[in-house]
mmCIF file of all heavy atoms in Angstrom:
data_model
loop_
_atom_site.group_PDB
_atom_site.id
_atom_site.type_symbol
_atom_site.label_atom_id
_atom_site.label_comp_id
_atom_site.label_asym_id
_atom_site.label_seq_id
_atom_site.Cartn_x
_atom_site.Cartn_y
_atom_site.Cartn_z
ATOM 1 N N PHE E 122 30.216 4.458 -8.682
ATOM 2 C CA PHE E 122 31.024 5.471 -9.352
ATOM 3 C C PHE E 122 30.301 6.189 -10.493
ATOM 4 O O PHE E 122 30.913 6.643 -11.448
ATOM 5 C CB PHE E 122 32.347 4.884 -9.863
ATOM 6 C CG PHE E 122 32.196 3.553 -10.551
ATOM 7 C CD1 PHE E 122 31.900 3.472 -11.893
ATOM 8 C CD2 PHE E 122 32.370 2.382 -9.829
ATOM 9 C CE1 PHE E 122 31.783 2.242 -12.515
ATOM 10 C CE2 PHE E 122 32.252 1.146 -10.450
ATOM 11 C CZ PHE E 122 31.958 1.070 -11.798
ATOM 12 N N ASN E 123 28.986 6.277 -10.429
ATOM 13 C CA ASN E 123 28.234 7.118 -11.355
ATOM 14 C C ASN E 123 28.551 6.866 -12.826
ATOM 15 O O ASN E 123 28.636 7.789 -13.629
ATOM 16 C CB ASN E 123 28.497 8.604 -11.074
ATOM 17 C CG ASN E 123 28.062 9.008 -9.689
ATOM 18 O OD1 ASN E 123 27.513 8.196 -8.963
ATOM 19 N ND2 ASN E 123 28.295 10.239 -9.308
ATOM 20 N N GLY E 124 28.803 5.650 -13.194
ATOM 21 C CA GLY E 124 29.090 5.339 -14.578
ATOM 22 C C GLY E 124 30.510 5.636 -15.000
ATOM 23 O O GLY E 124 30.891 5.406 -16.141
ATOM 24 N N ILE E 125 31.339 6.151 -14.081
ATOM 25 C CA ILE E 125 32.731 6.432 -14.376
ATOM 26 C C ILE E 125 33.543 5.181 -14.077
ATOM 27 O O ILE E 125 33.272 4.462 -13.127
ATOM 28 C CB ILE E 125 33.247 7.613 -13.518
ATOM 29 C CG1 ILE E 125 32.411 8.866 -13.818
ATOM 30 C CG2 ILE E 125 34.716 7.899 -13.789
ATOM 31 C CD1 ILE E 125 32.724 10.032 -12.910
ATOM 32 N N ALA E 126 34.551 4.909 -14.889
ATOM 33 C CA ALA E 126 35.362 3.708 -14.686
ATOM 34 C C ALA E 126 35.865 3.638 -13.246
ATOM 35 O O ALA E 126 36.261 4.657 -12.669
ATOM 36 C CB ALA E 126 36.549 3.711 -15.642
ATOM 37 N N PRO E 127 35.837 2.453 -12.628
ATOM 38 C CA PRO E 127 36.187 2.342 -11.205
ATOM 39 C C PRO E 127 37.619 2.730 -10.879
ATOM 40 O O PRO E 127 37.945 2.998 -9.734
ATOM 41 C CB PRO E 127 35.929 0.867 -10.896
ATOM 42 C CG PRO E 127 35.992 0.186 -12.220
ATOM 43 C CD PRO E 127 35.452 1.170 -13.207
ATOM 44 N N THR E 128 38.484 2.748 -11.873
ATOM 45 C CA THR E 128 39.880 3.113 -11.607
ATOM 46 C C THR E 128 40.089 4.630 -11.633
ATOM 47 O O THR E 128 41.176 5.114 -11.351
ATOM 48 C CB THR E 128 40.815 2.479 -12.658
ATOM 49 O OG1 THR E 128 40.376 2.852 -13.972
ATOM 50 C CG2 THR E 128 40.805 0.962 -12.540
ATOM 51 N N THR E 129 39.023 5.376 -11.979
ATOM 52 C CA THR E 129 39.140 6.826 -12.019
ATOM 53 C C THR E 129 39.368 7.373 -10.615
ATOM 54 O O THR E 129 38.658 7.000 -9.684
ATOM 55 C CB THR E 129 37.852 7.457 -12.598
ATOM 56 O OG1 THR E 129 37.637 6.931 -13.905
ATOM 57 C CG2 THR E 129 37.973 8.971 -12.666
ATOM 58 N N PRO E 130 40.338 8.258 -10.419
ATOM 59 C CA PRO E 130 40.552 8.846 -9.083
ATOM 60 C C PRO E 130 39.299 9.562 -8.599
ATOM 61 O O PRO E 130 38.497 10.040 -9.400
ATOM 62 C CB PRO E 130 41.697 9.840 -9.315
ATOM 63 C CG PRO E 130 42.395 9.344 -10.533
ATOM 64 C CD PRO E 130 41.322 8.729 -11.399
ATOM 65 N N VAL E 131 39.167 9.638 -7.288
ATOM 66 C CA VAL E 131 37.986 10.284 -6.721
ATOM 67 C C VAL E 131 37.852 11.713 -7.229
ATOM 68 O O VAL E 131 36.758 12.214 -7.483
ATOM 69 C CB VAL E 131 38.076 10.280 -5.176
ATOM 70 C CG1 VAL E 131 36.893 11.016 -4.568
ATOM 71 C CG2 VAL E 131 38.126 8.845 -4.661
ATOM 72 N N SER E 132 38.968 12.399 -7.417
ATOM 73 C CA SER E 132 38.927 13.775 -7.887
ATOM 74 C C SER E 132 38.424 13.897 -9.320
ATOM 75 O O SER E 132 38.131 14.987 -9.786
ATOM 76 C CB SER E 132 40.334 14.397 -7.797
ATOM 77 O OG SER E 132 41.252 13.654 -8.593
ATOM 78 N N GLY E 133 38.320 12.756 -10.010
ATOM 79 C CA GLY E 133 37.875 12.782 -11.397
ATOM 80 C C GLY E 133 36.386 12.943 -11.572
ATOM 81 O O GLY E 133 35.902 13.043 -12.693
ATOM 82 N N GLY E 134 35.625 12.951 -10.481
ATOM 83 C CA GLY E 134 34.197 13.212 -10.599
ATOM 84 C C GLY E 134 33.295 12.119 -10.089
ATOM 85 O O GLY E 134 32.088 12.211 -10.199
ATOM 86 N N SER E 135 33.842 11.040 -9.531
ATOM 87 C CA SER E 135 32.999 9.990 -8.984
ATOM 88 C C SER E 135 32.599 10.354 -7.561
ATOM 89 O O SER E 135 33.447 10.582 -6.707
ATOM 90 C CB SER E 135 33.739 8.651 -8.975
ATOM 91 O OG SER E 135 32.918 7.655 -8.415
ATOM 92 N N PHE E 136 31.297 10.419 -7.319
ATOM 93 C CA PHE E 136 30.812 10.863 -6.016
ATOM 94 C C PHE E 136 30.360 9.709 -5.127
ATOM 95 O O PHE E 136 29.848 9.922 -4.040
ATOM 96 C CB PHE E 136 29.664 11.854 -6.199
ATOM 97 C CG PHE E 136 30.071 13.067 -6.983
ATOM 98 C CD1 PHE E 136 29.659 13.223 -8.291
ATOM 99 C CD2 PHE E 136 30.896 14.027 -6.426
ATOM 100 C CE1 PHE E 136 30.037 14.328 -9.035
ATOM 101 C CE2 PHE E 136 31.285 15.141 -7.154
ATOM 102 C CZ PHE E 136 30.859 15.293 -8.462
ATOM 103 N N GLY E 137 30.522 8.486 -5.583
ATOM 104 C CA GLY E 137 30.209 7.342 -4.737
ATOM 105 C C GLY E 137 28.762 6.926 -4.707
ATOM 106 O O GLY E 137 28.366 6.108 -3.878
ATOM 107 N N ASP E 138 27.904 7.459 -5.573
ATOM 108 C CA ASP E 138 26.508 7.057 -5.573
ATOM 109 C C ASP E 138 26.376 5.616 -6.052
ATOM 110 O O ASP E 138 27.082 5.174 -6.946
ATOM 111 C CB ASP E 138 25.684 7.961 -6.493
ATOM 112 C CG ASP E 138 25.530 9.356 -5.926
ATOM 113 O OD1 ASP E 138 25.790 9.517 -4.729
ATOM 114 O OD2 ASP E 138 25.157 10.270 -6.678
ATOM 115 N N ARG E 139 25.430 4.900 -5.476
ATOM 116 C CA ARG E 139 25.226 3.497 -5.825
ATOM 117 C C ARG E 139 24.504 3.369 -7.160
ATOM 118 O O ARG E 139 23.517 4.041 -7.410
ATOM 119 C CB ARG E 139 24.406 2.817 -4.727
ATOM 120 C CG ARG E 139 23.788 1.473 -5.110
ATOM 121 C CD ARG E 139 24.824 0.366 -5.249
ATOM 122 N NE ARG E 139 24.260 -0.780 -5.905
ATOM 123 C CZ ARG E 139 23.539 -1.730 -5.302
ATOM 124 N NH1 ARG E 139 23.298 -1.649 -4.019
ATOM 125 N NH2 ARG E 139 23.075 -2.748 -5.977
ATOM 126 N N GLU E 140 24.986 2.486 -8.009
ATOM 127 C CA GLU E 140 24.286 2.120 -9.226
ATOM 128 C C GLU E 140 23.764 0.699 -9.042
ATOM 129 O O GLU E 140 24.547 -0.228 -8.857
ATOM 130 C CB GLU E 140 25.219 2.173 -10.432
ATOM 131 C CG GLU E 140 25.671 3.580 -10.764
ATOM 132 C CD GLU E 140 26.481 3.630 -12.048
ATOM 133 O OE1 GLU E 140 26.810 2.561 -12.587
ATOM 134 O OE2 GLU E 140 26.770 4.725 -12.491
ATOM 135 N N GLY E 141 22.478 0.534 -9.073
ATOM 136 C CA GLY E 141 21.901 -0.789 -8.883
ATOM 137 C C GLY E 141 20.546 -0.886 -9.542
ATOM 138 O O GLY E 141 20.034 0.090 -10.104
#
Side-chain angles (χ1 to χ4, degrees):
F122 45 87
N123 299 357
I125 300 173
T128 55
T129 302
V131 177
S132 60
S135 179
F136 301 106
D138 290 344
R139 164 71 194 277
E140 293 186 352

